[in-house]
Amino acid sequence: APSTTVSLGGFVAATTGERIPGVTITILDGPNAGRTTGTTATGDYQFDGLTRGTGNVSATHVFYNEVRTGVAIDGTSALNFTMLRRTVRLTGTVENAAGGVVANATVRVVDGPNAGTSTNTDSSGVYQLTLLAGNTNLVASASGFSSDSRGVVVNGTNTLNFRLTQTTSAVSFTATGSSGGRGGGSQE
């Protein structure tokens, strides 16, 4: 006699091929509606103790677009998901230490899926970047200021503000000219 409960498992990978940890897998309907599990560090998941039947299953992660698909839950089917990383907007301001705007500052992505992407602030010190969701570090810089580096989880719902400190540089100059009169001659 067939077992009264069955298992369903598989893996979740990005469109680029890497496995994705931390994905929430949820059975949306059918006799197992509401059952949830998560992917392991290697992107694998497993449901045990399921009732035979069919169901729609979703895979969700803050950095990726949700994927839904139907499956026969019969103990012989595996269900693998391929997820596309979300494109989101990150905005913020670049200010000086006194809270004033820094126009034309450069905000550059240092690492992560968007490494090398950059933009400049507008006349109000505001920047806007369209990025792939994920953990990343950014740096803001402007002429005459020390740069400011910050990390952020780019998820489309947050902002990242920078504060730059003006650099004090020694200025040297040499004054040239004459002292009074029309020239260096002596008068008799």
Side-chain angles (χ1 to χ4, degrees), residues 8-52:
L8 175 66
F11 65 85
V12 180
T15 54
T16 54
E18 73 270 8
R19 299 282 186 100
I20 307 171
V23 175
T24 300
I25 309 295
T26 304
I27 301 174
L28 301 172
D29 54 19
N32 301 291
R35 292 281 305 269
T36 299
T37 191
T39 58
T40 64
T42 58
D44 297 305
Y45 74 93
Q46 178 83 26
F47 287 102
D48 292 313
L50 298 178
T51 301
R52 290 177 184 274

PDB file of all heavy atoms in Angstrom, residues 8-52:
ATOM      1  N   LEU A   8       8.205  16.363  -0.982  1.00  0.00           N
ATOM      2  CA  LEU A   8       8.436  17.185  -2.176  1.00  0.00           C
ATOM      3  C   LEU A   8       9.676  18.004  -1.913  1.00  0.00           C
ATOM      4  O   LEU A   8       9.795  18.653  -0.870  1.00  0.00           O
ATOM      5  CB  LEU A   8       7.252  18.113  -2.448  1.00  0.00           C
ATOM      6  CG  LEU A   8       7.433  19.110  -3.607  1.00  0.00           C
ATOM      7  CD1 LEU A   8       7.525  18.376  -4.938  1.00  0.00           C
ATOM      8  CD2 LEU A   8       6.303  20.133  -3.616  1.00  0.00           C
ATOM      9  N   GLY A   9      10.600  17.978  -2.846  1.00  0.00           N
ATOM     10  CA  GLY A   9      11.829  18.737  -2.681  1.00  0.00           C
ATOM     11  C   GLY A   9      12.379  19.189  -4.011  1.00  0.00           C
ATOM     12  O   GLY A   9      11.855  18.856  -5.075  1.00  0.00           O
ATOM     13  N   GLY A  10      13.427  19.944  -3.936  1.00  0.00           N
ATOM     14  CA  GLY A  10      14.096  20.445  -5.125  1.00  0.00           C
ATOM     15  C   GLY A  10      15.112  21.494  -4.736  1.00  0.00           C
ATOM     16  O   GLY A  10      15.593  21.528  -3.600  1.00  0.00           O
ATOM     17  N   PHE A  11      15.438  22.351  -5.690  1.00  0.00           N
ATOM     18  CA  PHE A  11      16.385  23.423  -5.415  1.00  0.00           C
ATOM     19  C   PHE A  11      15.904  24.702  -6.075  1.00  0.00           C
ATOM     20  O   PHE A  11      15.022  24.695  -6.935  1.00  0.00           O
ATOM     21  CB  PHE A  11      17.804  23.070  -5.878  1.00  0.00           C
ATOM     22  CG  PHE A  11      17.951  22.914  -7.371  1.00  0.00           C
ATOM     23  CD1 PHE A  11      18.169  24.014  -8.192  1.00  0.00           C
ATOM     24  CD2 PHE A  11      17.881  21.657  -7.959  1.00  0.00           C
ATOM     25  CE1 PHE A  11      18.292  23.881  -9.556  1.00  0.00           C
ATOM     26  CE2 PHE A  11      18.018  21.500  -9.320  1.00  0.00           C
ATOM     27  CZ  PHE A  11      18.228  22.619 -10.133  1.00  0.00           C
ATOM     28  N   VAL A  12      16.514  25.814  -5.654  1.00  0.00           N
ATOM     29  CA  VAL A  12      16.209  27.119  -6.239  1.00  0.00           C
ATOM     30  C   VAL A  12      17.528  27.724  -6.705  1.00  0.00           C
ATOM     31  O   VAL A  12      18.505  27.785  -5.947  1.00  0.00           O
ATOM     32  CB  VAL A  12      15.524  28.060  -5.221  1.00  0.00           C
ATOM     33  CG1 VAL A  12      15.215  29.400  -5.869  1.00  0.00           C
ATOM     34  CG2 VAL A  12      14.267  27.419  -4.660  1.00  0.00           C
ATOM     35  N   ALA A  13      17.536  28.165  -7.966  1.00  0.00           N
ATOM     36  CA  ALA A  13      18.729  28.783  -8.546  1.00  0.00           C
ATOM     37  C   ALA A  13      18.344  30.103  -9.202  1.00  0.00           C
ATOM     38  O   ALA A  13      17.201  30.306  -9.611  1.00  0.00           O
ATOM     39  CB  ALA A  13      19.362  27.851  -9.570  1.00  0.00           C
ATOM     40  N   ALA A  14      19.320  30.979  -9.302  1.00  0.00           N
ATOM     41  CA  ALA A  14      19.137  32.236 -10.024  1.00  0.00           C
ATOM     42  C   ALA A  14      19.263  31.959 -11.519  1.00  0.00           C
ATOM     43  O   ALA A  14      19.796  30.922 -11.920  1.00  0.00           O
ATOM     44  CB  ALA A  14      20.189  33.251  -9.590  1.00  0.00           C
ATOM     45  N   THR A  15      18.807  32.898 -12.336  1.00  0.00           N
ATOM     46  CA  THR A  15      18.938  32.741 -13.782  1.00  0.00           C
ATOM     47  C   THR A  15      20.409  32.659 -14.194  1.00  0.00           C
ATOM     48  O   THR A  15      20.721  32.123 -15.244  1.00  0.00           O
ATOM     49  CB  THR A  15      18.270  33.912 -14.530  1.00  0.00           C
ATOM     50  OG1 THR A  15      18.817  35.132 -14.029  1.00  0.00           O
ATOM     51  CG2 THR A  15      16.766  33.891 -14.346  1.00  0.00           C
ATOM     52  N   THR A  16      21.303  33.155 -13.350  1.00  0.00           N
ATOM     53  CA  THR A  16      22.738  33.095 -13.622  1.00  0.00           C
ATOM     54  C   THR A  16      23.347  31.760 -13.190  1.00  0.00           C
ATOM     55  O   THR A  16      24.524  31.530 -13.406  1.00  0.00           O
ATOM     56  CB  THR A  16      23.461  34.242 -12.910  1.00  0.00           C
ATOM     57  OG1 THR A  16      23.114  34.202 -11.520  1.00  0.00           O
ATOM     58  CG2 THR A  16      23.076  35.580 -13.496  1.00  0.00           C
ATOM     59  N   GLY A  17      22.546  30.880 -12.557  1.00  0.00           N
ATOM     60  CA  GLY A  17      23.007  29.537 -12.223  1.00  0.00           C
ATOM     61  C   GLY A  17      23.316  29.288 -10.770  1.00  0.00           C
ATOM     62  O   GLY A  17      23.276  28.144 -10.333  1.00  0.00           O
ATOM     63  N   GLU A  18      23.650  30.322  -9.998  1.00  0.00           N
ATOM     64  CA  GLU A  18      24.015  30.071  -8.599  1.00  0.00           C
ATOM     65  C   GLU A  18      22.778  29.712  -7.781  1.00  0.00           C
ATOM     66  O   GLU A  18      21.694  30.240  -8.011  1.00  0.00           O
ATOM     67  CB  GLU A  18      24.785  31.230  -7.973  1.00  0.00           C
ATOM     68  CG  GLU A  18      23.982  32.460  -7.649  1.00  0.00           C
ATOM     69  CD  GLU A  18      23.910  33.487  -8.777  1.00  0.00           C
ATOM     70  OE1 GLU A  18      24.360  33.207  -9.898  1.00  0.00           O
ATOM     71  OE2 GLU A  18      23.376  34.570  -8.535  1.00  0.00           O
ATOM     72  N   ARG A  19      22.972  28.826  -6.834  1.00  0.00           N
ATOM     73  CA  ARG A  19      21.893  28.421  -5.935  1.00  0.00           C
ATOM     74  C   ARG A  19      21.591  29.552  -4.960  1.00  0.00           C
ATOM     75  O   ARG A  19      22.484  30.324  -4.583  1.00  0.00           O
ATOM     76  CB  ARG A  19      22.282  27.161  -5.159  1.00  0.00           C
ATOM     77  CG  ARG A  19      22.567  25.950  -6.025  1.00  0.00           C
ATOM     78  CD  ARG A  19      21.267  25.303  -6.501  1.00  0.00           C
ATOM     79  NE  ARG A  19      21.493  24.066  -7.205  1.00  0.00           N
ATOM     80  CZ  ARG A  19      21.357  22.859  -6.663  1.00  0.00           C
ATOM     81  NH1 ARG A  19      20.989  22.727  -5.406  1.00  0.00           N
ATOM     82  NH2 ARG A  19      21.574  21.781  -7.375  1.00  0.00           N
ATOM     83  N   ILE A  20      20.329  29.652  -4.523  1.00  0.00           N
ATOM     84  CA  ILE A  20      19.910  30.766  -3.678  1.00  0.00           C
ATOM     85  C   ILE A  20      19.481  30.263  -2.296  1.00  0.00           C
ATOM     86  O   ILE A  20      18.460  29.583  -2.178  1.00  0.00           O
ATOM     87  CB  ILE A  20      18.726  31.528  -4.310  1.00  0.00           C
ATOM     88  CG1 ILE A  20      19.049  31.938  -5.747  1.00  0.00           C
ATOM     89  CG2 ILE A  20      18.388  32.752  -3.466  1.00  0.00           C
ATOM     90  CD1 ILE A  20      17.855  32.502  -6.491  1.00  0.00           C
ATOM     91  N   PRO A  21      20.230  30.600  -1.248  1.00  0.00           N
ATOM     92  CA  PRO A  21      19.785  30.275   0.116  1.00  0.00           C
ATOM     93  C   PRO A  21      18.734  31.277   0.576  1.00  0.00           C
ATOM     94  O   PRO A  21      18.622  32.372   0.035  1.00  0.00           O
ATOM     95  CB  PRO A  21      21.066  30.401   0.934  1.00  0.00           C
ATOM     96  CG  PRO A  21      21.910  31.379   0.180  1.00  0.00           C
ATOM     97  CD  PRO A  21      21.556  31.206  -1.273  1.00  0.00           C
ATOM     98  N   GLY A  22      17.967  30.896   1.586  1.00  0.00           N
ATOM     99  CA  GLY A  22      17.027  31.827   2.209  1.00  0.00           C
ATOM    100  C   GLY A  22      15.763  32.103   1.426  1.00  0.00           C
ATOM    101  O   GLY A  22      15.078  33.081   1.698  1.00  0.00           O
ATOM    102  N   VAL A  23      15.423  31.248   0.465  1.00  0.00           N
ATOM    103  CA  VAL A  23      14.182  31.413  -0.286  1.00  0.00           C
ATOM    104  C   VAL A  23      13.057  30.755   0.506  1.00  0.00           C
ATOM    105  O   VAL A  23      13.218  29.658   1.044  1.00  0.00           O
ATOM    106  CB  VAL A  23      14.290  30.764  -1.688  1.00  0.00           C
ATOM    107  CG1 VAL A  23      12.956  30.834  -2.431  1.00  0.00           C
ATOM    108  CG2 VAL A  23      15.396  31.420  -2.494  1.00  0.00           C
ATOM    109  N   THR A  24      11.904  31.418   0.594  1.00  0.00           N
ATOM    110  CA  THR A  24      10.731  30.842   1.246  1.00  0.00           C
ATOM    111  C   THR A  24       9.906  30.108   0.197  1.00  0.00           C
ATOM    112  O   THR A  24       9.510  30.705  -0.811  1.00  0.00           O
ATOM    113  CB  THR A  24       9.885  31.934   1.914  1.00  0.00           C
ATOM    114  OG1 THR A  24      10.692  32.609   2.891  1.00  0.00           O
ATOM    115  CG2 THR A  24       8.650  31.346   2.579  1.00  0.00           C
ATOM    116  N   ILE A  25       9.658  28.822   0.444  1.00  0.00           N
ATOM    117  CA  ILE A  25       8.844  27.990  -0.442  1.00  0.00           C
ATOM    118  C   ILE A  25       7.512  27.759   0.273  1.00  0.00           C
ATOM    119  O   ILE A  25       7.497  27.272   1.406  1.00  0.00           O
ATOM    120  CB  ILE A  25       9.526  26.638  -0.740  1.00  0.00           C
ATOM    121  CG1 ILE A  25      10.973  26.834  -1.216  1.00  0.00           C
ATOM    122  CG2 ILE A  25       8.699  25.826  -1.730  1.00  0.00           C
ATOM    123  CD1 ILE A  25      11.116  27.552  -2.523  1.00  0.00           C
ATOM    124  N   THR A  26       6.404  28.101  -0.391  1.00  0.00           N
ATOM    125  CA  THR A  26       5.077  27.998   0.224  1.00  0.00           C
ATOM    126  C   THR A  26       4.125  27.247  -0.699  1.00  0.00           C
ATOM    127  O   THR A  26       4.043  27.562  -1.897  1.00  0.00           O
ATOM    128  CB  THR A  26       4.493  29.395   0.503  1.00  0.00           C
ATOM    129  OG1 THR A  26       5.411  30.131   1.314  1.00  0.00           O
ATOM    130  CG2 THR A  26       3.148  29.312   1.214  1.00  0.00           C
ATOM    131  N   ILE A  27       3.403  26.278  -0.141  1.00  0.00           N
ATOM    132  CA  ILE A  27       2.340  25.610  -0.889  1.00  0.00           C
ATOM    133  C   ILE A  27       1.093  26.475  -0.724  1.00  0.00           C
ATOM    134  O   ILE A  27       0.641  26.723   0.399  1.00  0.00           O
ATOM    135  CB  ILE A  27       2.114  24.176  -0.390  1.00  0.00           C
ATOM    136  CG1 ILE A  27       3.416  23.369  -0.539  1.00  0.00           C
ATOM    137  CG2 ILE A  27       0.963  23.512  -1.145  1.00  0.00           C
ATOM    138  CD1 ILE A  27       3.368  21.971   0.052  1.00  0.00           C
ATOM    139  N   LEU A  28       0.561  26.955  -1.838  1.00  0.00           N
ATOM    140  CA  LEU A  28      -0.487  27.967  -1.813  1.00  0.00           C
ATOM    141  C   LEU A  28      -1.901  27.410  -1.708  1.00  0.00           C
ATOM    142  O   LEU A  28      -2.794  28.101  -1.205  1.00  0.00           O
ATOM    143  CB  LEU A  28      -0.381  28.839  -3.066  1.00  0.00           C
ATOM    144  CG  LEU A  28       0.958  29.572  -3.237  1.00  0.00           C
ATOM    145  CD1 LEU A  28       1.029  30.238  -4.601  1.00  0.00           C
ATOM    146  CD2 LEU A  28       1.162  30.580  -2.122  1.00  0.00           C
ATOM    147  N   ASP A  29      -2.129  26.203  -2.205  1.00  0.00           N
ATOM    148  CA  ASP A  29      -3.491  25.663  -2.217  1.00  0.00           C
ATOM    149  C   ASP A  29      -3.445  24.140  -2.197  1.00  0.00           C
ATOM    150  O   ASP A  29      -2.374  23.555  -2.086  1.00  0.00           O
ATOM    151  CB  ASP A  29      -4.279  26.189  -3.427  1.00  0.00           C
ATOM    152  CG  ASP A  29      -3.580  25.937  -4.753  1.00  0.00           C
ATOM    153  OD1 ASP A  29      -2.683  25.063  -4.823  1.00  0.00           O
ATOM    154  OD2 ASP A  29      -3.918  26.614  -5.730  1.00  0.00           O
ATOM    155  N   GLY A  30      -4.587  23.519  -2.286  1.00  0.00           N
ATOM    156  CA  GLY A  30      -4.670  22.065  -2.237  1.00  0.00           C
ATOM    157  C   GLY A  30      -4.612  21.575  -0.801  1.00  0.00           C
ATOM    158  O   GLY A  30      -4.690  22.358   0.153  1.00  0.00           O
ATOM    159  N   PRO A  31      -4.452  20.249  -0.633  1.00  0.00           N
ATOM    160  CA  PRO A  31      -4.513  19.673   0.715  1.00  0.00           C
ATOM    161  C   PRO A  31      -3.363  20.086   1.635  1.00  0.00           C
ATOM    162  O   PRO A  31      -3.448  19.902   2.846  1.00  0.00           O
ATOM    163  CB  PRO A  31      -4.491  18.167   0.450  1.00  0.00           C
ATOM    164  CG  PRO A  31      -3.883  18.013  -0.901  1.00  0.00           C
ATOM    165  CD  PRO A  31      -4.257  19.236  -1.673  1.00  0.00           C
ATOM    166  N   ASN A  32      -2.310  20.697   1.078  1.00  0.00           N
ATOM    167  CA  ASN A  32      -1.150  21.105   1.885  1.00  0.00           C
ATOM    168  C   ASN A  32      -1.012  22.619   1.972  1.00  0.00           C
ATOM    169  O   ASN A  32       0.056  23.137   2.312  1.00  0.00           O
ATOM    170  CB  ASN A  32       0.118  20.487   1.294  1.00  0.00           C
ATOM    171  CG  ASN A  32       0.047  18.981   1.264  1.00  0.00           C
ATOM    172  OD1 ASN A  32       0.078  18.336   2.299  1.00  0.00           O
ATOM    173  ND2 ASN A  32      -0.087  18.405   0.065  1.00  0.00           N
ATOM    174  N   ALA A  33      -2.093  23.338   1.663  1.00  0.00           N
ATOM    175  CA  ALA A  33      -2.066  24.810   1.650  1.00  0.00           C
ATOM    176  C   ALA A  33      -1.513  25.361   2.955  1.00  0.00           C
ATOM    177  O   ALA A  33      -1.854  24.894   4.040  1.00  0.00           O
ATOM    178  CB  ALA A  33      -3.470  25.351   1.411  1.00  0.00           C
ATOM    179  N   GLY A  34      -0.628  26.349   2.821  1.00  0.00           N
ATOM    180  CA  GLY A  34      -0.064  27.012   3.992  1.00  0.00           C
ATOM    181  C   GLY A  34       1.239  26.427   4.493  1.00  0.00           C
ATOM    182  O   GLY A  34       1.909  27.044   5.325  1.00  0.00           O
ATOM    183  N   ARG A  35       1.609  25.254   4.006  1.00  0.00           N
ATOM    184  CA  ARG A  35       2.893  24.675   4.433  1.00  0.00           C
ATOM    185  C   ARG A  35       4.037  25.489   3.840  1.00  0.00           C
ATOM    186  O   ARG A  35       4.016  25.870   2.678  1.00  0.00           O
ATOM    187  CB  ARG A  35       3.005  23.211   3.972  1.00  0.00           C
ATOM    188  CG  ARG A  35       2.058  22.235   4.647  1.00  0.00           C
ATOM    189  CD  ARG A  35       2.507  21.806   6.037  1.00  0.00           C
ATOM    190  NE  ARG A  35       3.841  21.244   6.083  1.00  0.00           N
ATOM    191  CZ  ARG A  35       4.126  19.941   5.944  1.00  0.00           C
ATOM    192  NH1 ARG A  35       3.161  19.060   5.762  1.00  0.00           N
ATOM    193  NH2 ARG A  35       5.370  19.538   5.995  1.00  0.00           N
ATOM    194  N   THR A  36       5.029  25.774   4.664  1.00  0.00           N
ATOM    195  CA  THR A  36       6.157  26.616   4.264  1.00  0.00           C
ATOM    196  C   THR A  36       7.467  25.995   4.720  1.00  0.00           C
ATOM    197  O   THR A  36       7.537  25.386   5.788  1.00  0.00           O
ATOM    198  CB  THR A  36       6.014  28.019   4.903  1.00  0.00           C
ATOM    199  OG1 THR A  36       4.802  28.607   4.444  1.00  0.00           O
ATOM    200  CG2 THR A  36       7.163  28.924   4.547  1.00  0.00           C
ATOM    201  N   THR A  37       8.491  26.171   3.907  1.00  0.00           N
ATOM    202  CA  THR A  37       9.849  25.784   4.281  1.00  0.00           C
ATOM    203  C   THR A  37      10.803  26.763   3.609  1.00  0.00           C
ATOM    204  O   THR A  37      10.376  27.621   2.836  1.00  0.00           O
ATOM    205  CB  THR A  37      10.161  24.319   3.887  1.00  0.00           C
ATOM    206  OG1 THR A  37      11.384  23.921   4.506  1.00  0.00           O
ATOM    207  CG2 THR A  37      10.265  24.132   2.376  1.00  0.00           C
ATOM    208  N   GLY A  38      12.076  26.646   3.906  1.00  0.00           N
ATOM    209  CA  GLY A  38      13.073  27.532   3.310  1.00  0.00           C
ATOM    210  C   GLY A  38      14.211  26.744   2.698  1.00  0.00           C
ATOM    211  O   GLY A  38      14.418  25.569   3.030  1.00  0.00           O
ATOM    212  N   THR A  39      14.929  27.400   1.795  1.00  0.00           N
ATOM    213  CA  THR A  39      16.084  26.746   1.192  1.00  0.00           C
ATOM    214  C   THR A  39      17.282  26.816   2.129  1.00  0.00           C
ATOM    215  O   THR A  39      17.428  27.752   2.919  1.00  0.00           O
ATOM    216  CB  THR A  39      16.453  27.362  -0.171  1.00  0.00           C
ATOM    217  OG1 THR A  39      16.712  28.756  -0.009  1.00  0.00           O
ATOM    218  CG2 THR A  39      15.353  27.147  -1.195  1.00  0.00           C
ATOM    219  N   THR A  40      18.120  25.813   2.002  1.00  0.00           N
ATOM    220  CA  THR A  40      19.346  25.705   2.796  1.00  0.00           C
ATOM    221  C   THR A  40      20.435  26.599   2.196  1.00  0.00           C
ATOM    222  O   THR A  40      20.211  27.270   1.181  1.00  0.00           O
ATOM    223  CB  THR A  40      19.852  24.255   2.791  1.00  0.00           C
ATOM    224  OG1 THR A  40      20.212  23.924   1.428  1.00  0.00           O
ATOM    225  CG2 THR A  40      18.784  23.282   3.292  1.00  0.00           C
ATOM    226  N   ALA A  41      21.609  26.562   2.776  1.00  0.00           N
ATOM    227  CA  ALA A  41      22.751  27.330   2.280  1.00  0.00           C
ATOM    228  C   ALA A  41      23.113  26.940   0.847  1.00  0.00           C
ATOM    229  O   ALA A  41      23.710  27.729   0.121  1.00  0.00           O
ATOM    230  CB  ALA A  41      23.951  27.140   3.199  1.00  0.00           C
ATOM    231  N   THR A  42      22.725  25.734   0.434  1.00  0.00           N
ATOM    232  CA  THR A  42      23.021  25.282  -0.932  1.00  0.00           C
ATOM    233  C   THR A  42      21.812  25.411  -1.859  1.00  0.00           C
ATOM    234  O   THR A  42      21.823  24.896  -2.977  1.00  0.00           O
ATOM    235  CB  THR A  42      23.517  23.823  -0.930  1.00  0.00           C
ATOM    236  OG1 THR A  42      22.510  23.002  -0.324  1.00  0.00           O
ATOM    237  CG2 THR A  42      24.830  23.688  -0.178  1.00  0.00           C
ATOM    238  N   GLY A  43      20.747  26.088  -1.398  1.00  0.00           N
ATOM    239  CA  GLY A  43      19.586  26.331  -2.234  1.00  0.00           C
ATOM    240  C   GLY A  43      18.604  25.185  -2.334  1.00  0.00           C
ATOM    241  O   GLY A  43      17.673  25.227  -3.134  1.00  0.00           O
ATOM    242  N   ASP A  44      18.778  24.146  -1.518  1.00  0.00           N
ATOM    243  CA  ASP A  44      17.880  22.984  -1.540  1.00  0.00           C
ATOM    244  C   ASP A  44      16.742  23.173  -0.546  1.00  0.00           C
ATOM    245  O   ASP A  44      16.884  23.888   0.452  1.00  0.00           O
ATOM    246  CB  ASP A  44      18.651  21.710  -1.164  1.00  0.00           C
ATOM    247  CG  ASP A  44      19.749  21.396  -2.154  1.00  0.00           C
ATOM    248  OD1 ASP A  44      19.450  21.290  -3.352  1.00  0.00           O
ATOM    249  OD2 ASP A  44      20.924  21.277  -1.722  1.00  0.00           O
ATOM    250  N   TYR A  45      15.609  22.507  -0.802  1.00  0.00           N
ATOM    251  CA  TYR A  45      14.502  22.515   0.155  1.00  0.00           C
ATOM    252  C   TYR A  45      13.840  21.149   0.135  1.00  0.00           C
ATOM    253  O   TYR A  45      13.990  20.371  -0.811  1.00  0.00           O
ATOM    254  CB  TYR A  45      13.481  23.616  -0.167  1.00  0.00           C
ATOM    255  CG  TYR A  45      12.623  23.316  -1.367  1.00  0.00           C
ATOM    256  CD1 TYR A  45      11.383  22.679  -1.214  1.00  0.00           C
ATOM    257  CD2 TYR A  45      13.043  23.622  -2.654  1.00  0.00           C
ATOM    258  CE1 TYR A  45      10.594  22.374  -2.311  1.00  0.00           C
ATOM    259  CE2 TYR A  45      12.268  23.322  -3.745  1.00  0.00           C
ATOM    260  CZ  TYR A  45      11.046  22.698  -3.570  1.00  0.00           C
ATOM    261  OH  TYR A  45      10.276  22.393  -4.661  1.00  0.00           O
ATOM    262  N   GLN A  46      13.073  20.873   1.194  1.00  0.00           N
ATOM    263  CA  GLN A  46      12.374  19.589   1.310  1.00  0.00           C
ATOM    264  C   GLN A  46      11.156  19.755   2.199  1.00  0.00           C
ATOM    265  O   GLN A  46      11.249  20.298   3.289  1.00  0.00           O
ATOM    266  CB  GLN A  46      13.312  18.535   1.925  1.00  0.00           C
ATOM    267  CG  GLN A  46      12.705  17.181   2.152  1.00  0.00           C
ATOM    268  CD  GLN A  46      12.715  16.308   0.914  1.00  0.00           C
ATOM    269  OE1 GLN A  46      13.561  16.486   0.044  1.00  0.00           O
ATOM    270  NE2 GLN A  46      11.789  15.384   0.830  1.00  0.00           N
ATOM    271  N   PHE A  47      10.016  19.313   1.703  1.00  0.00           N
ATOM    272  CA  PHE A  47       8.803  19.166   2.518  1.00  0.00           C
ATOM    273  C   PHE A  47       8.635  17.689   2.795  1.00  0.00           C
ATOM    274  O   PHE A  47       8.718  16.874   1.876  1.00  0.00           O
ATOM    275  CB  PHE A  47       7.543  19.607   1.749  1.00  0.00           C
ATOM    276  CG  PHE A  47       7.376  21.078   1.557  1.00  0.00           C
ATOM    277  CD1 PHE A  47       7.675  21.674   0.333  1.00  0.00           C
ATOM    278  CD2 PHE A  47       6.867  21.871   2.575  1.00  0.00           C
ATOM    279  CE1 PHE A  47       7.466  23.028   0.137  1.00  0.00           C
ATOM    280  CE2 PHE A  47       6.659  23.229   2.385  1.00  0.00           C
ATOM    281  CZ  PHE A  47       6.966  23.809   1.162  1.00  0.00           C
ATOM    282  N   ASP A  48       8.372  17.317   4.024  1.00  0.00           N
ATOM    283  CA  ASP A  48       8.042  15.932   4.386  1.00  0.00           C
ATOM    284  C   ASP A  48       6.642  15.917   4.980  1.00  0.00           C
ATOM    285  O   ASP A  48       6.141  16.941   5.443  1.00  0.00           O
ATOM    286  CB  ASP A  48       9.061  15.381   5.392  1.00  0.00           C
ATOM    287  CG  ASP A  48      10.445  15.212   4.767  1.00  0.00           C
ATOM    288  OD1 ASP A  48      10.529  14.664   3.660  1.00  0.00           O
ATOM    289  OD2 ASP A  48      11.430  15.659   5.401  1.00  0.00           O
ATOM    290  N   GLY A  49       6.017  14.734   4.977  1.00  0.00           N
ATOM    291  CA  GLY A  49       4.710  14.580   5.605  1.00  0.00           C
ATOM    292  C   GLY A  49       3.571  15.267   4.866  1.00  0.00           C
ATOM    293  O   GLY A  49       2.598  15.691   5.479  1.00  0.00           O
ATOM    294  N   LEU A  50       3.677  15.361   3.537  1.00  0.00           N
ATOM    295  CA  LEU A  50       2.633  15.996   2.743  1.00  0.00           C
ATOM    296  C   LEU A  50       1.554  14.991   2.363  1.00  0.00           C
ATOM    297  O   LEU A  50       1.823  13.803   2.163  1.00  0.00           O
ATOM    298  CB  LEU A  50       3.214  16.609   1.465  1.00  0.00           C
ATOM    299  CG  LEU A  50       4.251  17.722   1.637  1.00  0.00           C
ATOM    300  CD1 LEU A  50       4.767  18.173   0.278  1.00  0.00           C
ATOM    301  CD2 LEU A  50       3.669  18.889   2.411  1.00  0.00           C
ATOM    302  N   THR A  51       0.350  15.489   2.207  1.00  0.00           N
ATOM    303  CA  THR A  51      -0.763  14.687   1.704  1.00  0.00           C
ATOM    304  C   THR A  51      -0.692  14.661   0.180  1.00  0.00           C
ATOM    305  O   THR A  51      -0.429  15.699  -0.446  1.00  0.00           O
ATOM    306  CB  THR A  51      -2.108  15.316   2.150  1.00  0.00           C
ATOM    307  OG1 THR A  51      -2.127  15.369   3.571  1.00  0.00           O
ATOM    308  CG2 THR A  51      -3.294  14.504   1.654  1.00  0.00           C
ATOM    309  N   ARG A  52      -0.903  13.493  -0.410  1.00  0.00           N
ATOM    310  CA  ARG A  52      -0.903  13.389  -1.874  1.00  0.00           C
ATOM    311  C   ARG A  52      -1.947  14.322  -2.473  1.00  0.00           C
ATOM    312  O   ARG A  52      -3.018  14.509  -1.915  1.00  0.00           O
ATOM    313  CB  ARG A  52      -1.213  11.964  -2.313  1.00  0.00           C
ATOM    314  CG  ARG A  52      -0.127  10.982  -2.022  1.00  0.00           C
ATOM    315  CD  ARG A  52      -0.571   9.565  -2.424  1.00  0.00           C
ATOM    316  NE  ARG A  52       0.449   8.606  -2.044  1.00  0.00           N
ATOM    317  CZ  ARG A  52       1.500   8.309  -2.799  1.00  0.00           C
ATOM    318  NH1 ARG A  52       1.644   8.873  -3.991  1.00  0.00           N
ATOM    319  NH2 ARG A  52       2.390   7.439  -2.377  1.00  0.00           N
TER     320      ARG A  52
END
